[in-house]
Structure formats: C-alpha cells, structure tokens
Amino acid sequence: MRDSKIGRNAPCPCGSGKKYKNCCLALEGVVDRNAKPFEKYSELIATLKVKLDQHYNSQIRKMRKTLQERFMRLCTTPHLPQEQESILSDWLWFDMTDTEGITFGMEYIRINGEFMDEPLHECLQALNSSYLSLYEVIGMEGDFLRVKDYITTQEALIMLKEPLDLEFTESRPLLLGRLVTLPLGAVFSGMVLMLKNDDGQGEFIRKHMGYLQSLRPDQEIMAMLKDHGEILYGLFEHASHKALMRLNDIRVLRFEENTPSLILQLDDSEAFNLVHECGDMRWYDLRDSTGNARIALHSQYLVAYADLLDDILRLERCLDEIIPSGSWKVVNSLFLVQPPAPEFENIWYDVIKDQETERWLHTVHRELDDKTPEDILQEEKGRDRILAMLDSFAAKTAGNEYSEDLINYMRQRVEQL
C-alpha cells in the first residue's frame, strides 16, 4: 500500500529504529503470488508473527510470565506445553487488550498499515478478527476439511496442505484452533489441538461455555470467544484430562422480607435438607448433589453456592420452582475475574465462612490424631477438645479481624453439633 519506494538504508517506517533493509524490507515479496493458497497464507501468517515477535518482544518479555499465568489460570497444571506456545502467542497478539481495548495486532496495523503490502495487510486484518474456538470435524472435501464450530454452530471449509487420512465415526474428533478467514479460504493459525469426543468431552465444554454466556448475556457469542479464549483453553484442557471444573458459583436473590411461607417451602422441599442455623442464616444442603452445593436463607435475601456446573443448573431449577422469576445476581464465579461488588461483600464473606468451616470440619488434623473435628465431636468430651483447639487458634491469631470472625463462626457451628 505504499505509493513510493523506500530506500534500503532509510529508517524503517515501522518505527523499530532499524534500517529498512534490516527490518520490513524482508517482508516485501516474501510470498510467491503463484503459490497455492494454503502455502501463500501459511507463509504470510508466519512472516507476520515473526514481525510481531520482533516488534513487541521487549514489551511482552516483561509481562509474559504474568500473562501466561492468566492464560493458564483455569488449567489443571500451570505449565504450558512447549508445543502449544503458539496458542498463547496468538492470544497475546490478537486477543489481549490494553486499557483502551487495543491488541498488539491492532496497534501494529494502525501504526504500520499504510507501509504494508496488501497481502500482509489483509492477512493481519484477518488475524486481528480471529478467535480461538472448538470445531467438530465433519469430513473431507478434496484438500479441504469441513468443520462445524461447536460453540457457534457455523460451518467452514479449511484449506489443508494435503488431505487428512481420518476415519469418521459417530464420535467425531474435536479441534481447538484459531481459524483465520481470508479471501481464498480459511486456514488455522498456529497449533491445532485434537480431542476425542467419545465420553461427553464436547458437551462438557459446550455446557460450560453456555454457563459463561449466561454470565455475559449482553455479549455476542463470537465476542465472548474473542474475549475469553483462556476460558475455552482451560475447559479443553480439563476435558482432555476428564477433570471436573470447580466454579465456586455464588449468587444472591434479594427480597424485602423473608416470609414464613418461604421457610416452610424450603423445610418441606424434597430438594433441600436443613443442616444448621448460625446467626441470622438458615443453611440447607442440596440433596444428592455431586459436589458442594448449599443455600442459606436470611431475612432479606437468599444466597446459593455450588462448585460444579450440574449442581448449579439443578439449583437454578429447584429454586425457580420455589421463587419463580427471581432476579438472581451472580456474586462470584471462577469465570469472573473481578471481585464481588461492594454491596455483596458481606454476603460473599458469609458464604466463605461457611465453606471454610465445612472444609475444616471434614479435614484430618495431626493434632487430632489424624482425625477430623467431626470425628472427634462423636467422642466423649469431644466438643470440649474441639473448643479448646479453637481457643488455641484464637490465641495464635489475636488481632487478625478475619481470623477472629472465622473462629467465632466455627465455635458457633461446633456448639450446635
């Protein structure tokens, strides 16, 4: 898109500080215009990534560790396999935005676009629009692979270097990749991961992405994929290990007053089981839950929490029968990176106290002869022993407001058992 030739020894217009011959000149005519579309686009993408890496290397190097931790935050392991580095790099260049909503790829084309050859400019625009998604393999059509986006349901033909030798059964494989749509066809950018879909792996990912969409109801689905590639990557990694994801979903329904009829409904419900009352909160377990799922009734609100998605969805159904059309507010979720809003901090804290107390009651302690507090409470004078243990904790944490409050809550629970 240049109107005039730049001298080889002139400063490179990209602003790198290098001479043109040692910088962007290498991008001129890099692709054989007579090459096959797949080879042409693969070379363009590779060339652009080299340039982006050179241009932003010092900036990314300073923040890479922090950003990699953010990208991997939902994974079962914090270590990114070396062969998957390109997935992280694409996310860094084309998805991660600054405070003004600008990615490195967008910034690069804004500054250097007028100096780029048309094919490179066109390719970078396509990369900037791309996003990580999950694709179901449908079949081969010549040198093209037909896929269906498992999240958006859109179909696409993907150019391949050569036909793949795949056997298509009822459980078609799933691909995690970044599809780049260009004038002559679509290609994958960087690494593509494959996953068997023989034991509900695809449905696990799709249901969790549906849950994410419920947290972002005003966001278009493709914008959601663009903004939350790290969540999809974490779900794919969990699915490949057949590991459950603990979401720690906490939500609240406010009302003007807690009517006696609501208490009677919960007490009589076949879905819930009253477990304890502590302070001004009445706590119920979700019967037959897969993980940790509980609700608490206060005079001004109802709070629900659950770890696993199936329990979250079941809680929604059960509570909708008791309080139809209730306006629930999600206070906390693993998929949300922001802390609870100030008006919900006390409610969130009440839930955390209950969760921590339940965890403590059911955890083996060395000072209890490798038994749990709940085990000790069944023994003669067991309550006195546990209360003495809590007194010891209180003495060690004196002056820590959070610890004192939590220990007092634990003491109330023990005295009720």
Short mmCIF file of all heavy atoms in Angstrom, two decimals, residues 173-211:
data_model
loop_
_atom_site.label_atom_id
_atom_site.label_comp_id
_atom_site.label_asym_id
_atom_site.label_seq_id
_atom_site.Cartn_x
_atom_site.Cartn_y
_atom_site.Cartn_z
N PRO A 173 -13.89 -36.32 16.02
CA PRO A 173 -12.91 -35.59 16.83
C PRO A 173 -13.21 -34.09 16.88
O PRO A 173 -13.84 -33.54 15.98
CB PRO A 173 -11.59 -35.87 16.13
CG PRO A 173 -11.96 -36.21 14.72
CD PRO A 173 -13.29 -36.89 14.81
N LEU A 174 -12.73 -33.46 17.94
CA LEU A 174 -12.87 -32.02 18.12
C LEU A 174 -11.50 -31.37 17.98
O LEU A 174 -10.50 -31.93 18.41
CB LEU A 174 -13.46 -31.70 19.49
CG LEU A 174 -14.85 -32.27 19.79
CD1 LEU A 174 -15.24 -31.98 21.23
CD2 LEU A 174 -15.89 -31.69 18.83
N LEU A 175 -11.49 -30.18 17.39
CA LEU A 175 -10.26 -29.43 17.20
C LEU A 175 -10.35 -28.10 17.92
O LEU A 175 -11.36 -27.40 17.82
CB LEU A 175 -10.01 -29.17 15.70
CG LEU A 175 -9.98 -30.38 14.77
CD1 LEU A 175 -9.82 -29.93 13.33
CD2 LEU A 175 -8.89 -31.36 15.16
N LEU A 176 -9.30 -27.76 18.65
CA LEU A 176 -9.21 -26.44 19.26
C LEU A 176 -8.20 -25.64 18.46
O LEU A 176 -7.02 -26.01 18.37
CB LEU A 176 -8.75 -26.53 20.72
CG LEU A 176 -8.64 -25.19 21.46
CD1 LEU A 176 -10.02 -24.63 21.78
CD2 LEU A 176 -7.82 -25.34 22.74
N GLY A 177 -8.65 -24.57 17.83
CA GLY A 177 -7.74 -23.79 17.00
C GLY A 177 -8.28 -22.41 16.70
O GLY A 177 -9.42 -22.07 17.03
N ARG A 178 -7.44 -21.61 16.07
CA ARG A 178 -7.79 -20.24 15.68
C ARG A 178 -7.95 -20.21 14.17
O ARG A 178 -6.98 -20.37 13.42
CB ARG A 178 -6.69 -19.27 16.12
CG ARG A 178 -6.93 -17.81 15.75
CD ARG A 178 -5.80 -16.94 16.28
NE ARG A 178 -5.79 -16.94 17.73
CZ ARG A 178 -6.43 -16.04 18.49
NH1 ARG A 178 -7.09 -15.05 17.92
NH2 ARG A 178 -6.39 -16.11 19.79
N LEU A 179 -9.16 -20.01 13.72
CA LEU A 179 -9.46 -20.01 12.29
C LEU A 179 -9.31 -18.59 11.73
O LEU A 179 -9.89 -17.64 12.26
CB LEU A 179 -10.88 -20.52 12.06
CG LEU A 179 -11.20 -21.08 10.68
CD1 LEU A 179 -10.27 -22.23 10.34
CD2 LEU A 179 -12.65 -21.55 10.64
N VAL A 180 -8.51 -18.47 10.66
CA VAL A 180 -8.28 -17.18 10.01
C VAL A 180 -8.97 -17.21 8.65
O VAL A 180 -8.64 -18.03 7.79
CB VAL A 180 -6.76 -16.92 9.83
CG1 VAL A 180 -6.53 -15.53 9.26
CG2 VAL A 180 -6.03 -17.08 11.15
N THR A 181 -9.95 -16.34 8.46
CA THR A 181 -10.75 -16.32 7.24
C THR A 181 -10.19 -15.29 6.26
O THR A 181 -10.17 -14.09 6.55
CB THR A 181 -12.22 -16.01 7.56
OG1 THR A 181 -12.71 -16.96 8.52
CG2 THR A 181 -13.07 -16.07 6.31
N LEU A 182 -9.73 -15.79 5.10
CA LEU A 182 -9.10 -14.95 4.08
C LEU A 182 -9.86 -15.10 2.75
O LEU A 182 -10.69 -15.99 2.60
CB LEU A 182 -7.64 -15.37 3.93
CG LEU A 182 -6.77 -15.00 5.16
CD1 LEU A 182 -5.59 -15.93 5.30
CD2 LEU A 182 -6.33 -13.56 5.08
N PRO A 183 -9.61 -14.21 1.79
CA PRO A 183 -10.40 -14.21 0.55
C PRO A 183 -10.47 -15.55 -0.18
O PRO A 183 -11.51 -15.89 -0.74
CB PRO A 183 -9.70 -13.15 -0.30
CG PRO A 183 -9.10 -12.21 0.68
CD PRO A 183 -8.67 -13.07 1.83
N LEU A 184 -9.37 -16.31 -0.20
CA LEU A 184 -9.36 -17.57 -0.95
C LEU A 184 -9.70 -18.77 -0.09
O LEU A 184 -9.67 -19.91 -0.56
CB LEU A 184 -7.99 -17.76 -1.60
CG LEU A 184 -7.58 -16.70 -2.63
CD1 LEU A 184 -6.21 -16.99 -3.19
CD2 LEU A 184 -8.61 -16.62 -3.75
N GLY A 185 -10.01 -18.54 1.18
CA GLY A 185 -10.36 -19.65 2.07
C GLY A 185 -9.87 -19.41 3.48
O GLY A 185 -9.25 -18.39 3.78
N ALA A 186 -10.15 -20.38 4.33
CA ALA A 186 -9.77 -20.27 5.74
C ALA A 186 -8.64 -21.23 6.08
O ALA A 186 -8.55 -22.33 5.51
CB ALA A 186 -10.98 -20.56 6.63
N VAL A 187 -7.77 -20.82 6.99
CA VAL A 187 -6.68 -21.67 7.45
C VAL A 187 -6.59 -21.53 8.97
O VAL A 187 -7.04 -20.54 9.55
CB VAL A 187 -5.32 -21.29 6.83
CG1 VAL A 187 -5.30 -21.59 5.35
CG2 VAL A 187 -4.98 -19.83 7.10
N PHE A 188 -6.00 -22.54 9.60
CA PHE A 188 -5.73 -22.44 11.02
C PHE A 188 -4.43 -21.70 11.25
O PHE A 188 -3.46 -21.87 10.52
CB PHE A 188 -5.63 -23.84 11.65
CG PHE A 188 -6.95 -24.45 12.03
CD1 PHE A 188 -7.33 -25.67 11.52
CD2 PHE A 188 -7.80 -23.79 12.92
CE1 PHE A 188 -8.54 -26.24 11.88
CE2 PHE A 188 -9.01 -24.35 13.28
CZ PHE A 188 -9.38 -25.58 12.76
N SER A 189 -4.40 -20.88 12.29
CA SER A 189 -3.18 -20.18 12.68
C SER A 189 -2.52 -20.94 13.82
O SER A 189 -3.14 -21.17 14.86
CB SER A 189 -3.52 -18.75 13.14
OG SER A 189 -2.41 -18.16 13.77
N GLY A 190 -1.27 -21.33 13.61
CA GLY A 190 -0.52 -21.96 14.69
C GLY A 190 -0.99 -23.36 15.01
O GLY A 190 -1.58 -24.07 14.19
N MET A 191 -0.79 -23.76 16.26
CA MET A 191 -1.06 -25.11 16.73
C MET A 191 -2.55 -25.39 16.76
O MET A 191 -3.37 -24.54 17.11
CB MET A 191 -0.48 -25.27 18.15
CG MET A 191 -0.60 -26.65 18.73
SD MET A 191 0.58 -27.77 17.94
CE MET A 191 0.26 -29.29 18.84
N VAL A 192 -2.92 -26.62 16.37
CA VAL A 192 -4.30 -27.10 16.48
C VAL A 192 -4.28 -28.35 17.37
O VAL A 192 -3.50 -29.27 17.14
CB VAL A 192 -4.88 -27.45 15.10
CG1 VAL A 192 -6.31 -27.97 15.25
CG2 VAL A 192 -4.86 -26.24 14.18
N LEU A 193 -5.11 -28.34 18.40
CA LEU A 193 -5.18 -29.47 19.33
C LEU A 193 -6.38 -30.34 19.01
O LEU A 193 -7.45 -29.83 18.66
CB LEU A 193 -5.27 -28.97 20.77
CG LEU A 193 -4.17 -28.00 21.24
CD1 LEU A 193 -4.40 -27.62 22.70
CD2 LEU A 193 -2.80 -28.61 21.06
N MET A 194 -6.21 -31.65 19.12
CA MET A 194 -7.29 -32.59 18.82
C MET A 194 -7.73 -33.28 20.10
O MET A 194 -6.93 -33.59 20.97
CB MET A 194 -6.84 -33.61 17.78
CG MET A 194 -7.95 -34.56 17.34
SD MET A 194 -7.43 -35.72 16.02
CE MET A 194 -7.35 -34.58 14.63
N LEU A 195 -9.03 -33.53 20.18
CA LEU A 195 -9.61 -34.16 21.36
C LEU A 195 -10.66 -35.18 20.93
O LEU A 195 -11.51 -34.90 20.08
CB LEU A 195 -10.28 -33.09 22.25
CG LEU A 195 -11.05 -33.55 23.47
CD1 LEU A 195 -10.11 -34.16 24.51
CD2 LEU A 195 -11.84 -32.40 24.08
N LYS A 196 -10.58 -36.38 21.50
CA LYS A 196 -11.63 -37.36 21.26
C LYS A 196 -12.92 -36.87 21.91
O LYS A 196 -12.90 -36.22 22.95
CB LYS A 196 -11.24 -38.71 21.87
CG LYS A 196 -10.16 -39.46 21.09
CD LYS A 196 -9.93 -40.84 21.71
CE LYS A 196 -8.90 -41.62 20.91
NZ LYS A 196 -8.67 -42.98 21.50
N ASN A 197 -14.03 -37.21 21.27
CA ASN A 197 -15.33 -36.82 21.81
C ASN A 197 -16.16 -38.07 22.03
O ASN A 197 -17.30 -38.18 21.58
CB ASN A 197 -16.03 -35.86 20.85
CG ASN A 197 -17.26 -35.21 21.47
OD1 ASN A 197 -17.41 -35.18 22.70
ND2 ASN A 197 -18.16 -34.70 20.64
N ASP A 198 -15.56 -39.03 22.76
CA ASP A 198 -16.20 -40.33 22.94
C ASP A 198 -16.80 -40.52 24.33
O ASP A 198 -17.37 -41.57 24.62
CB ASP A 198 -15.17 -41.45 22.67
CG ASP A 198 -13.94 -41.33 23.57
OD1 ASP A 198 -13.82 -40.33 24.29
OD2 ASP A 198 -13.09 -42.24 23.51
N ASP A 199 -16.68 -39.50 25.19
CA ASP A 199 -17.19 -39.65 26.55
C ASP A 199 -17.75 -38.33 27.08
O ASP A 199 -17.56 -37.99 28.25
CB ASP A 199 -16.07 -40.17 27.47
CG ASP A 199 -16.58 -40.68 28.80
OD1 ASP A 199 -17.78 -41.04 28.88
OD2 ASP A 199 -15.81 -40.71 29.77
N GLY A 200 -18.41 -37.59 26.20
CA GLY A 200 -19.05 -36.35 26.62
C GLY A 200 -18.14 -35.16 26.74
O GLY A 200 -18.52 -34.14 27.32
N GLN A 201 -16.90 -35.25 26.18
CA GLN A 201 -15.96 -34.12 26.32
C GLN A 201 -16.50 -32.86 25.67
O GLN A 201 -16.39 -31.76 26.22
CB GLN A 201 -14.61 -34.49 25.70
CG GLN A 201 -13.86 -35.61 26.42
CD GLN A 201 -14.14 -36.98 25.83
OE1 GLN A 201 -15.21 -37.24 25.29
NE2 GLN A 201 -13.16 -37.87 25.92
N GLY A 202 -17.07 -33.00 24.47
CA GLY A 202 -17.59 -31.83 23.76
C GLY A 202 -18.75 -31.18 24.50
O GLY A 202 -18.84 -29.96 24.60
N GLU A 203 -19.65 -32.01 25.04
CA GLU A 203 -20.80 -31.47 25.77
C GLU A 203 -20.35 -30.78 27.06
O GLU A 203 -20.93 -29.77 27.46
CB GLU A 203 -21.79 -32.60 26.09
CG GLU A 203 -23.12 -32.14 26.65
CD GLU A 203 -23.88 -31.20 25.72
OE1 GLU A 203 -23.62 -31.19 24.50
OE2 GLU A 203 -24.73 -30.45 26.24
N PHE A 204 -19.31 -31.33 27.70
CA PHE A 204 -18.75 -30.69 28.89
C PHE A 204 -18.30 -29.28 28.55
O PHE A 204 -18.61 -28.32 29.28
CB PHE A 204 -17.57 -31.53 29.40
CG PHE A 204 -16.73 -30.86 30.46
CD1 PHE A 204 -17.10 -30.93 31.79
CD2 PHE A 204 -15.58 -30.16 30.12
CE1 PHE A 204 -16.33 -30.32 32.78
CE2 PHE A 204 -14.80 -29.54 31.10
CZ PHE A 204 -15.18 -29.62 32.43
N ILE A 205 -17.58 -29.11 27.44
CA ILE A 205 -17.08 -27.79 27.05
C ILE A 205 -18.24 -26.88 26.67
O ILE A 205 -18.31 -25.72 27.10
CB ILE A 205 -16.08 -27.91 25.89
CG1 ILE A 205 -14.84 -28.69 26.34
CG2 ILE A 205 -15.68 -26.53 25.36
CD1 ILE A 205 -13.86 -29.02 25.23
N ARG A 206 -19.18 -27.41 25.87
CA ARG A 206 -20.28 -26.58 25.39
C ARG A 206 -21.17 -26.09 26.56
O ARG A 206 -21.58 -24.93 26.58
CB ARG A 206 -21.12 -27.35 24.38
CG ARG A 206 -22.28 -26.54 23.84
CD ARG A 206 -22.76 -27.02 22.50
NE ARG A 206 -22.98 -28.44 22.44
CZ ARG A 206 -23.16 -29.12 21.30
NH1 ARG A 206 -23.11 -28.48 20.14
NH2 ARG A 206 -23.36 -30.42 21.30
N LYS A 207 -21.45 -26.97 27.50
CA LYS A 207 -22.29 -26.57 28.64
C LYS A 207 -21.61 -25.48 29.47
O LYS A 207 -22.26 -24.54 29.92
CB LYS A 207 -22.58 -27.79 29.53
CG LYS A 207 -23.65 -28.71 28.97
CD LYS A 207 -23.80 -29.97 29.80
CE LYS A 207 -24.31 -29.67 31.20
NZ LYS A 207 -24.54 -30.93 31.98
N HIS A 208 -20.31 -25.61 29.65
CA HIS A 208 -19.60 -24.59 30.43
C HIS A 208 -19.51 -23.26 29.68
O HIS A 208 -19.57 -22.19 30.29
CB HIS A 208 -18.20 -25.08 30.82
CG HIS A 208 -18.20 -26.02 31.98
ND1 HIS A 208 -18.57 -27.34 31.86
CD2 HIS A 208 -17.88 -25.83 33.29
CE1 HIS A 208 -18.48 -27.93 33.05
NE2 HIS A 208 -18.07 -27.04 33.93
N MET A 209 -19.39 -23.33 28.35
CA MET A 209 -19.41 -22.10 27.57
C MET A 209 -20.80 -21.47 27.61
O MET A 209 -20.94 -20.24 27.59
CB MET A 209 -18.96 -22.36 26.14
CG MET A 209 -17.48 -22.73 25.99
SD MET A 209 -16.34 -21.46 26.62
CE MET A 209 -16.55 -20.17 25.39
N GLY A 210 -21.84 -22.30 27.68
CA GLY A 210 -23.19 -21.78 27.84
C GLY A 210 -23.36 -21.10 29.19
O GLY A 210 -24.03 -20.06 29.30
N TYR A 211 -22.72 -21.66 30.21
CA TYR A 211 -22.73 -21.03 31.54
C TYR A 211 -22.02 -19.68 31.47
O TYR A 211 -22.51 -18.68 32.03
CB TYR A 211 -22.05 -21.96 32.54
CG TYR A 211 -21.70 -21.32 33.86
CD1 TYR A 211 -22.67 -21.03 34.81
CD2 TYR A 211 -20.37 -21.02 34.16
CE1 TYR A 211 -22.34 -20.45 36.03
CE2 TYR A 211 -20.03 -20.44 35.39
CZ TYR A 211 -21.02 -20.16 36.31
OH TYR A 211 -20.68 -19.58 37.51
#
